[in-house]
Amino acid sequence: MNILKITALVGLATLVSACEDFQLRANGPDKTVDGGIDKKHLSQLEAGIWVDPNGCDHWIIDDGVEGYLSARLDKYGKPVCSGVAPPTHTVGDFKKGATSIIGDPI
């Protein structure tokens, strides 16, 4: 029984200590900053466009280890479906600015 308690306490301590380097703001973590190996502001990376199976656009950034994706919306909050590429294809150099030493698997 004591071994179970000790194991649980060590596990909890490990879990809590992992949160030490987590940048928090008043409303949560700062999601505008890349938290990976080559930390930089996301504005320093170039976004491309991925077209979903329905033909609508999504902004995409690939920083090697981390990837970012969000729907491309017009000023009224509706999805943009521009036809810039066939469904499930990408356009643009969305890996530009990434200097990660960990590449994508082949």
Side-chain angles (χ1 to χ4, degrees), residues 11-55:
L12 181 61
T14 303
L15 182 65
V16 172
S17 68
C19 298
E20 181 181 340
D21 194 33
F22 196 64
Q23 293 179 336
L24 291 178
R25 304 172 106 196
N27 297 325
D30 184 0
K31 294 186 179 182
T32 63
V33 177
D34 171 19
I37 295 170
D38 57 345
K39 295 180 181 180
K40 64 176 76 87
H41 195 273
L42 295 183
S43 65
Q44 295 177 321
L45 300 172
E46 185 172 320
I49 296 175
W50 173 70
V51 181
D52 68 20
N54 296 323

Side-chain angles (χ1 to χ4, degrees), residues 49-85:
I49 296 175
W50 173 70
V51 181
D52 68 20
N54 296 323
C56 295
D57 302 353
H58 298 265
W59 295 113
I60 183 172
I61 297 174
D62 183 358
D63 190 23
V65 174
E66 298 173 315
Y68 306 91
L69 178 77
S70 64
R72 186 174 175 205
L73 306 173
D74 67 12
K75 63 182 179 178
Y76 302 107
K78 294 183 180 180
V80 173
C81 305
S82 67
V84 69

